[in-house]
Amino acid sequence: MRLLGIILCGLFFTGCGSEVSKTVVSDENAAEQKYHWKLVTTWPKNYPGLGTAPETFARLVERMSAGRLNIKVFGAGQLVPAMEVFDAVSQGTAQMGHGAAYYWAGKARGAAFFAAVPFGLNAQEMNSWLHHGGGLELWRELYAPFNLIPFAGGNTGVQMAGWFNREINTMDDLAGLKMRIPGLGGDVITRAGGTSWNITGSDIYTAMQTGVIDATEWVGPYNDLAFGLHQVAKYYYYPGWHEPGVMAELTVNAQAYVSLPPDLQAIIEVAARAVNQDMLDEYTAKNNRALVELVETHGVELRRLPDPVLAELRRLSAQVVTSLAAETELTRRIAASIDTFKAQAMAYHVISEEAYNDARSAVD
Ligand code: CA
């Protein structure tokens, strides 16, 4: 028995030893390998928040990998136009992209579910659904045929309803309106009798100034001030019923991702998660300050959409979501997953976030 034990030990340690040396050799190779990647975005280079998030991501990855994974970030139009980011990463022209999923709704039906759903999940709920409620798995299933692996890449929080040159008192005021509003919100405006335009951020100001469009939504005070939208519209409406927390996305070309050693894959995952949260933190802090500047310095007229208008938009939004859900087996599962999660989140938030906000703002 003792002899057998020695033989087994010998076999074990021999096997173990060769495994260890093999692992060390492969780690050394992986540690020496340097990767130079390109990341294309749908935003102007270094645009506040949306454009700086991928830059922050690239710097984090470079630091955490000690320079082994170097990512060069391109603004919209520098390597590919904004609306070609999805295809560029899918085809491997660039290894990564940063944008918003609803821009690709025409390519991957259901992509809009992973950017913003009118009257849907807010930022906190979207992150919870994605990372702890099955959302990310559904998103990866949707993007897999396009050779893309998506990650959450930032969130704006609740946006503003947008900039208008006419007052919105009833639904009739939306009829015939030419509005820049992408995604499912755009489909709702179409159902309300307006027309929706999907115009790249940097072209919005000129489109408003020249009358190509009558109204536009963009993001919120911080970003809208940066584009000077208060110079081309009189009224600034809230709340952003159509975009209660737009999630930005980081996409990775599947082959490029698989070619990385596991530690660099983990670095991408963790850096994406950090940037995703950091964007929301940045927007929350800077929207507060920018709103004060818009109202007090620039005299912007803030308006709340009337309750009957919001009620009708909510009804039309439900129709739009139901219609998209009916398109494919996968869009049905995505919509059902969001619905279940939203019902639970709303029930709990009535006694947590909402009850707290009410208590906090109560007037004595
Ligand atoms: Ca928006």
Side-chain angles (χ1 to χ4, degrees), residues 352-364:
S352 54
E353 309 286 326
E354 288 175 38
Y356 170 71
N357 284 343
D358 288 348
R360 184 170 64 176
S361 59
V363 179
D364 293 329

Side-chain angles (χ1 to χ4, degrees), residues 102 159 180 182 217-219 242-243 246:
Y102 55 23
Q159 299 204 356
R180 184 270 177 194
E217 70 83 56
W218 174 226
V219 182
H242 63 304
E243 298 188 350
V246 171

Side-chain angles (χ1 to χ4, degrees), residues 107-316:
K107 300 172 192 293
R109 294 305 292 165
F113 285 130
F114 299 96
V117 176
F119 297 96
L121 304 176
N122 66 20
Q124 185 184 352
E125 294 160 353
M126 181 68 113
N127 282 322
S128 304
W129 173 63
L130 207 73
H131 298 118
H132 295 277
L136 190 61
E137 290 77 8
L138 290 164
W139 196 9
R140 295 207 165 152
E141 187 178 342
L142 181 70
Y143 275 17
F146 301 94
N147 205 29
L148 293 171
I149 301 172
F151 295 82
N155 201 301
T156 64
V158 177
Q159 299 204 356
M160 291 290 285
W163 297 90
F164 299 79
N165 277 312
R166 63 168 89 151
E167 285 193 48
I168 307 297
N169 296 315
T170 70
M171 287 301 287
D172 290 342
D173 297 317
L174 294 177
L177 194 73
K178 291 180 288 181
M179 181 168 182
R180 184 270 177 194
I181 173 168
L184 300 176
D187 295 344
V188 174
I189 289 298
T190 304
R191 284 191 188 232
T195 50
S196 64
W197 294 58
N198 189 6
I199 296 173
T200 304
S202 54
D203 295 332
I204 294 175
Y205 184 96
T206 307
M208 282 291 283
Q209 199 178 35
T210 56
V212 170
I213 51 173
D214 312 311
T216 185
E217 70 83 56
W218 174 226
V219 182
Y222 174 41
N223 279 166
D224 296 5
L225 177 65
F227 270 158
L229 296 180
H230 54 282
Q231 295 160 8
V232 288
K234 186 172 178 189
Y235 304 110
Y236 197 19
Y237 272 90
Y238 66 94
W241 56 274
H242 63 304
E243 298 188 350
V246 171
M247 182 166 67
E249 66 175 10
L250 276 162
T251 51
V252 190
N253 176 278
Q255 277 81 45
Y257 189 73
V258 168
S259 75
L260 293 178
D263 64 330
L264 292 184
Q265 290 178 348
I267 284 171
I268 286 183
E269 189 177 335
V270 171
R273 200 67 183 266
V275 162
N276 184 49
Q277 182 61 46
D278 187 60
M279 190 193 284
L280 184 62
D281 301 345
E282 180 182 3
Y283 274 77
T284 304
K286 295 193 173 164
N287 276 330
N288 301 342
R289 282 177 237 154
L291 181 64
V292 172
E293 186 177 340
L294 282 171
V295 173
E296 292 185 1
T297 309
H298 300 293
V300 164
E301 295 200 36
L302 267 184
R303 293 275 197 281
R304 185 181 185 279
L305 286 171
D307 283 334
V309 170
L310 285 170
E312 180 60 10
L313 290 170
R314 192 162 56 239
R315 191 182 70 80
L316 295 174

